[in-house]
Amino acid sequence: AKTLDIQKMNKVQKEIMIGGACYAVTCGSDGMLYAGNDNTKEILVINRAGQIARKFKHDCDHVYGITFSKSANIVISDCSRRRFNHVIKIYTPTGQLVSQFGGRGSKQGQLSYPMGVAVNEEGHLF
């Protein structure tokens, strides 16, 4: 199995961690590392050589969790204490917003501080 070279990753660490604003990182089935940066409002896609392969803008207040749907879309839990934005957002691999759901609350369809997100083999979102 191929792994990411940690020394090469140090080259992009500064860009990932601008202002200490990276709370969510995951590895995709493509072998790339996906990191959400709240200050730059970007999802950074980092290859095995430790280089930023691509990045795209997101409109999340605070990326707390990131994973992939069964159809390879990027699923993000967006939770902000300032704006009370408690939603799950789904983006295409190129960064287009597909859908979102939630909102702050405890009623059906609402969420309260969604700080993580996962998808099982059947495609169910948790």
Side-chain angles (χ1 to χ4, degrees), residues 75-90:
V75 182
I76 294 174
S77 61
D78 181 8
C79 177
S80 171
R81 291 175 192 244
R82 289 177 308 193
R83 296 179 59 196
F84 302 105
N85 195 25
H86 300 237
V87 297
I88 302 295
K89 294 184 178 183
I90 302 172

Side-chain angles (χ1 to χ4, degrees), residues 108-126:
Q108 186 173 354
Q110 295 179 321
L111 301 169
S112 181
Y113 296 99
M115 296 194 176
V117 63
V119 176
N120 69 9
E121 292 176 356
E122 297 169 348
H124 296 122
L125 183 66
F126 296 91

